[in-house]
Amino acid sequence: MVFYRKYRPQKLSELVGQEEVSKTLLAQLESGNISHGYLFWGTRGTGKTSTARIFAKAVNCELYRVNKKGRFGEPCGKCESCKSITNGSNLDLIEIDAASNRGIDEIRDLREKVKLSPVSSPFKVYIIDEAHMLTSEAFNALLKTLEEPPTHVIFILATTEYSKLPVTIVSRLQKFNFKRAKLADIKAAIMQIAKAEKINFKQGVADSIAEASDGSYRDAISILDQVSSAAGEINGDDIKKVIKVSGWNFLLLMAETLLEGRLKDAVLEVEKMTSEGIDFSLFARQFVLFLEKILYASIGVDVASFDLSDDQLAKINGIAEKFPASKIQNLIRLILVAESEIKIYPLPHMPIVLAMCKFIPEESVVGAPKAEDLNRPPAVKKTLDLPDIKIEIEDSKAGGGLVRSEQADREKKAKGQNVSLSEVEKNWNEFLNRVKVVNAHVVALLRATKPLEFDGEVIVLEVFYRFHKDKLEEPKILKILDSKMEEVLGKNVRLKFQLASREAKPTLQVRRSDVVDLAGDELEKIAQEIFSK
């Protein structure tokens, strides 16, 4: 027997990571105040169906039929009723797979059968798995029966997609949310099963399995079952052969690669995943959940509650500090779209590749040649020996025509060496004028910023509205700004933007002539930020 069936919880106290659910249900059983209908919802492998079966055992357990006055508790697991439910032979426990029995005819048949008394138990329990798959007509047919079933009937609906259930159905049920189990709880369960099965593995293997399971007890046990067939002691390589894309470090590598603009490296990783036969739909879901943690950290949410180790927490916060929240949001959005398209593409990896290409525009790819450079013929350089200076001339026939003196370059560089913050402020208007020629929209945002610091290489500009900061930090715009400031100062510099405190006020206001150049949605966002101060 496979591990996940062999070690399926048989009591509420054995549920992994669902303490709140088991405590509440046990309290209802002990008091006798049980409901006629329940809704168990949550991600896969968190114990919804197992809990439903345990509940069915408890209300039909022979231990509570005599002198208990309608009160119940944990199932004994030893009586004939409990044993028959465990082995699947109990006629009063009816499990329905809504994915394959989703029509109105099946529900009409159910409505007729619920009227019949239980065969040998006090209660007839109906478990409808994947309930969100029922059709609208089927839900309508079930509605009245679900609201007022016979006293001997209990309905338990289980689903992974709560939002797809009609409100009229949900309102008639008691709702229990099954959350992802914590890493520590899953690790403890793995260690317990490994000990019982006499499985030996190296340090860190249990942690890797727990991380790969993504909070699913069933997935963790299935992975352990799969790797247990390996001869000798299980090590990290055995886990990688099974888990592949699920490793935390792999998701970290992919996030850093994409956010840093290294498109080529990211695509090569996808190609490697393709050759290994990776499930890209699963990868996309896991990657989005990983990026979610980075996004939360970037907007100030304490990600310690995500059950991360100290090292993982430090890495998540490190990425969040380097990149704006808007960039992370965009990547999550593109991966979600790609995940929805994987099933319709003949090559499942292509939606992921296309999402990566869309996230990293061509002009911002690290190490990629510029389009104008690809179309320009190679320049033929000639060196002329003159008495005092050497002049390099790019042959005009080869697409050059620009004459530059080495001496002039040296003078310009020397001038840039001594640039101070006051020089930046002095040339600020010239900088704005040069930017306006390229992008008039950006100038309207720059006029509400203020030069704050300059260490000779990095100019820190104080930004007074978050929308301004996110917009100015877009790679394409930042590249333009660095280039124009370099032209004005005669020195290689980088611009960095720092959000000002709420009390600070911009010294320069957005001019009316600039505002008219703004797009409607941009102007609306600026107005919202100004009036929310």
Side-chain angles (χ1 to χ4, degrees), residues 27-40:
Q28 286 192 6
L29 289 168
E30 290 175 346
S31 66
N33 295 323
I34 59 175
S35 175
H36 66 274
Y38 294 88
L39 172 62
F40 295 165

Side-chain angles (χ1 to χ4, degrees), residues 401-421:
L402 175 64
V403 181
R404 178 179 294 175
S405 167
E406 287 185 356
Q407 183 178 351
D409 283 345
R410 287 194 295 270
E411 291 175 356
K412 185 174 182 180
K413 186 175 181 180
K415 178 183 176 184
Q417 300 274 345
N418 301 317
V419 175
S420 63
L421 182 60

Side-chain angles (χ1 to χ4, degrees), residues 27-34 58-59 64-73 122-123:
Q28 286 192 6
L29 289 168
E30 290 175 346
S31 66
N33 295 323
I34 59 175
V59 296
Y64 304 107
R65 294 188 190 181
V66 182
N67 299 326
K68 293 296 181 179
K69 298 180 180 179
R71 297 187 180 185
F72 311 93
F123 293 95

Side-chain angles (χ1 to χ4, degrees), residues 193-351:
I193 295 173
K195 183 178 180 180
E197 295 291 331
K198 297 180 181 180
I199 300 172
N200 298 319
F201 44 65
K202 290 186 177 179
Q203 185 176 3
V205 169
D207 296 280
S208 299
I209 295 176
E211 290 172 6
S213 67
D214 190 30
S216 170
Y217 172 79
R218 184 177 63 223
D219 287 3
I221 304 308
S222 295
I223 294 171
L224 177 62
D225 194 2
Q226 192 169 349
V227 299
S228 65
S229 59
E233 190 177 42
I234 300 172
N235 55 38
D237 292 335
D238 296 321
I239 297 298
K240 289 179 181 178
K241 291 177 184 178
V242 176
I243 300 174
K244 296 179 181 178
V245 304
S246 300
W248 197 92
N249 289 330
F250 178 84
L251 297 175
L252 173 68
L253 171 65
M254 188 62 78
E256 289 180 326
T257 302
L258 287 169
L259 292 170
E260 290 172 1
R262 294 184 280 123
L263 179 60
K264 179 181 176 181
D265 294 339
V267 172
L268 288 175
E269 287 294 337
V270 172
E271 285 299 313
K272 188 186 299 183
M273 292 160 59
T274 305
S275 65
E276 294 176 352
I278 297 304
D279 182 349
F280 280 95
S281 182
L282 174 60
F283 163 73
R285 293 193 296 271
Q286 290 180 323
F287 193 39
V288 166
L289 291 172
F290 183 84
L291 292 171
E292 176 193 40
K293 298 176 178 63
I294 301 176
L295 175 63
Y296 284 3
S298 69
I299 59 178
V301 176
D302 183 10
V303 293
S305 60
F306 281 98
D307 195 25
L308 301 170
S309 66
D310 293 339
D311 181 57
Q312 292 173 343
L313 186 61
K315 289 178 179 178
I316 288 288
N317 286 324
I319 298 177
E321 290 174 359
K322 288 167 58 179
F323 303 101
S326 58
K327 190 170 186 178
I328 302 167
Q329 292 172 34
N330 187 32
L331 179 56
I332 292 175
R333 188 179 299 110
L334 291 171
I335 298 298
L336 283 172
V337 172
E339 197 277 331
S340 67
E341 296 176 345
I342 286 174
K343 295 179 181 179
I344 63 176
Y345 272 68
L347 301 174
H349 70 287
M350 282 310 299

Side-chain angles (χ1 to χ4, degrees), residues 364-381:
S364 64
V365 174
V366 175
K370 298 178 181 178
E372 57 266 28
D373 293 337
L374 294 174
N375 297 325
R376 181 186 301 157
V380 179
K381 294 187 177 181

